Every structure is written in C-alpha cells, then in structure tokens.
Amino acid sequence: MVKWTEEERRIIRGVWEKVDIDEIGEELWARALIVYPWIDRYFGSFGDIFTTTAILKNPKLAALGKVVLSALDTAVKNMDNVKAMYAPLSRQHYEKIKVDPDNFRLLAECITITIACKLRAELNPQVQATWQKFLSAVVEAMNSQYK
Amino acid sequence: MSLSGKDKTVVKAFWDKVAPKAAEIGGEALGRMLTSYPQTKTYFSHWSDLSPESAQVKKHGATIMGAIGDAIGKIDDLQGALAKLSELHAFKLRVDPANFRILAHNIILVLAMYYPADFTPEVHVSVDKFLQNLALALSEKYR
C-alpha cells in the first residue's frame, strides 16, 4: 500500500483542483490517440477518432473522458485505498474490455502532459514528482487484477 | 517507428521555435528527471548538488540540448551523427538505455509547459518519435 505524507496529499489535491474534468477529458484523448495511435484498437465503435479535430468533437470520447476522470477523482478522494477501490475496474478492463495494461501507463503520461500544458510552471519539479507518484499508484491499481 | 518526411519537417520547425530557450529547457528537464526518477541520480554521484536549481544540473541540461540540436541538423543520419556519443554512453558512461526514455518524457513535459499552444498532439507525436530514434542511435554501440 502506498503511504502519503500530508505534503503529498496537499500537492495532489492542489493539482486536481485545477483540472477541469470536461476540458481535460477531451484533450487527453487527442494526445493519446494521436501520439499512440494503436490505442484506437479499443475504439472500433467510436466513429471518427483519427484527427485532433474529430477527436475533440467526438461525443463518445467526451463521455468516456468524463468517466475516466471521475474515476481519477475517486482515487484522489480515497488515496489510501486506491487498490481496493479500483479492483472491480481492473477486473473489468482485464476480463471484459481486454485492455493491454501498458495502455494505462500511456494514458497516465498523456494526462500528465495535458495537465503540464494547463498548469505550466505551477507544475514545478516537486509537484510533478508527487503527481506522477500518485498516477503510478493508480496505474498499479489498474494492473492489480491482471492475473 | 522511423521518421517520415513530415516528422522531420515538424521537428525542425518546432526546434527553430524553441531554440532560444533550449538551454533552459534542458536544465529544467534534467532537474525534473532527477527529482521524479531518483534512480537516475545514481549516474551523477560526482556532483555536489542534484537539485533542479543546481548549476551543474543546468549546465549539463544545456549540453544535452545542444547535442539534440546538432542531431536535428543531421536528422537524416542520426546513427552517424551520434556515433561518438554512442561510444561514450556505451563504454565510458554505461548509462542503461532505459533512462533515455525517462529523459525524453521530461523533455516532452517541459516543452509542453513552455509551449502549450504549439505543442499540439501532432507536434508531440513527431517529437516523441524523434527522441525515440535519437535514443536508438545513442544505444547503437552498446552491444
């Protein structure tokens, strides 16, 4: 289980407060699907997801972005219990959706880069390190039921 | 995932834009790498200060970005351009090549921070591919 200091909790909540779930929810797919295009294997029924313009207008991706970031919101609010909270999600992604777990790492990177574009210098080295530690814990939790 | 003509054009154009701040970006990226990925500090035990504010870190970050800038000038033959540096990293420094990806992530993050409007997904993917190819060229002599 990951241990969080008071300072780390403050930092993670501080970053999350600044995230507009609707805005980031769309932009993160633009980064993920353009930078790592093989991810589109999971989006066969989503329609046009092949250009940034199409991605940003795609209602299914917008909805999914909201779902993903709401789940992240749950993680922020339950930092001490992410693994347990995410067990059903992990199992779902393994058994039903059959997602290669490396994609969780790629998506986490895209989330961080998108946040870097918004927060800029506010994402100082210490904040970056703490935020990445948090996302690593989330990625690990998403991996946990792949067995 | 080799570089297309479009990738090369995009990378060169974006580099022209960021060149004036290249040294600063390099220092930031290296400082963030050492902070977020403490295992990378093991290669720099000869430095007295490994904080992001360290003059040693900033200077070395600038050196790295200088080499990247040179490589962009020789983007059609990265292996040739990086032959000497590859020997240095392979035989003298013996840096585990897994770390090249870690540094690339931090360079990308700093580029996104400094140029949020210009670092579109399209620019991002070309820069990511370029840094990946650079890392490959840098690893060429390892074995």
Side-chain angles (χ1 to χ4, degrees):
Chain A
M1 218 188 60
V2 190
K3 294 252 161 68
W4 304 104
T5 64
E6 269 318 304
E7 175 71 355
E8 285 171 332
R9 292 171 199 276
R10 195 188 54 80
I11 287 176
I12 293 162
R13 286 194 288 256
V15 169
W16 192 243
E17 254 161 37
K18 302 191 175 79
V19 168
D20 176 337
I21 287 195
D22 291 318
E23 196 188 6
I24 303 281
E26 288 177 359
E27 288 183 25
L28 85 90
W29 292 122
R31 275 211 196 257
L33 288 161
I34 300 287
V35 181
Y36 306 112
W38 53 91
I39 288 181
D40 72 12
R41 76 189 305 284
Y42 302 108
F43 296 90
S45 63
F46 277 59
D48 189 357
I49 51 167
F50 305 110
T51 61
T52 304
T53 322
I55 291 166
L56 291 174
K57 285 197 314 220
N58 187 307
K60 286 186 171 176
L61 284 176
L64 188 62
K66 251 194 176 114
V67 166
V68 169
L69 292 183
S70 299
L72 209 52
D73 183 64
T74 307
V76 172
K77 298 194 161 90
N78 295 276
M79 267 180 240
D80 294 308
N81 209 19
V82 183
K83 212 167 199 170
M85 297 225 74
Y86 271 44
L89 256 181
S90 175
R91 210 168 296 118
Q92 180 202 31
H93 282 71
Y94 179 34
E95 291 169 4
K96 297 256 150 54
I97 321 176
K98 302 194 207 288
V99 175
D100 180 336
D102 198 52
N103 291 287
F104 305 143
R105 181 183 63 82
L106 297 180
L107 200 63
E109 261 183 42
C110 290
I111 290 171
T112 300
I113 301 295
T114 305
I115 287 179
C117 285
K118 294 283 168 275
L119 266 55
R120 307 187 67 187
E122 270 188 78
L123 195 79
N124 66 46
Q126 200 47 57
V127 171
Q128 176 194 343
T130 306
W131 176 251
Q132 289 188 184
K133 181 182 169 186
F134 169 68
L135 281 188
S136 297
V138 171
V139 167
E140 201 193 312
M142 282 303 289
N143 272 266
S144 68
Q145 300 304 309
Y146 279 72
K147 44 188 176 184
Chain B
M1 301 182 215
S2 54
L3 297 172
S4 65
K6 179 162 168 238
D7 288 321
K8 294 179 189 178
T9 308
V10 166
V11 168
K12 282 189 194 162
F14 185 66
W15 196 259
D16 282 341
K17 196 164 265 178
V18 315
K21 295 218 163 141
E24 197 183 321
I25 289 168
E28 272 265 11
L30 195 64
R32 282 161 185 277
M33 183 189 80
L34 294 164
T35 309
S36 284
Y37 304 88
Q39 70 271 24
T40 59
K41 292 199 269 198
T42 57
Y43 292 101
F44 300 100
S45 50
H46 52 290
W47 288 352
S48 51
D49 182 2
L50 291 171
S51 71
E53 297 80 29
S54 152
Q56 289 161 316
V57 170
K58 289 184 181 170
K59 178 161 175 264
H60 195 61
T63 301
I64 292 173
M65 288 299 264
I68 294 178
D70 281 344
I72 291 182
K74 300 170 188 157
I75 205 168
D76 291 316
D77 178 22
L78 287 176
Q79 239 185 67
L82 289 164
K84 286 236 157 54
L85 273 175
S86 181
E87 277 174 18
L88 176 72
H89 284 72
F91 303 123
K92 189 147 177 271
L93 304 174
R94 284 164 292 185
V95 176
D96 188 323
N99 293 288
F100 302 151
R101 200 183 61 76
I102 294 177
L103 182 58
H105 164 73
N106 285 282
I107 291 173
I108 281 173
L109 187 139
V110 176
L111 289 171
M113 265 175 55
Y114 275 51
Y115 301 94
D118 298 291
F119 200 66
T120 61
E122 288 73 17
V123 171
H124 181 165
V125 65
S126 293
V127 170
D128 192 55
K129 283 174 73 176
F130 167 70
L131 290 175
Q132 206 178 75
N133 278 270
L134 199 67
L136 211 59
L138 201 58
S139 330
E140 177 61 25
K141 305 282 181 181
Y142 271 67
R143 55 178 177 180

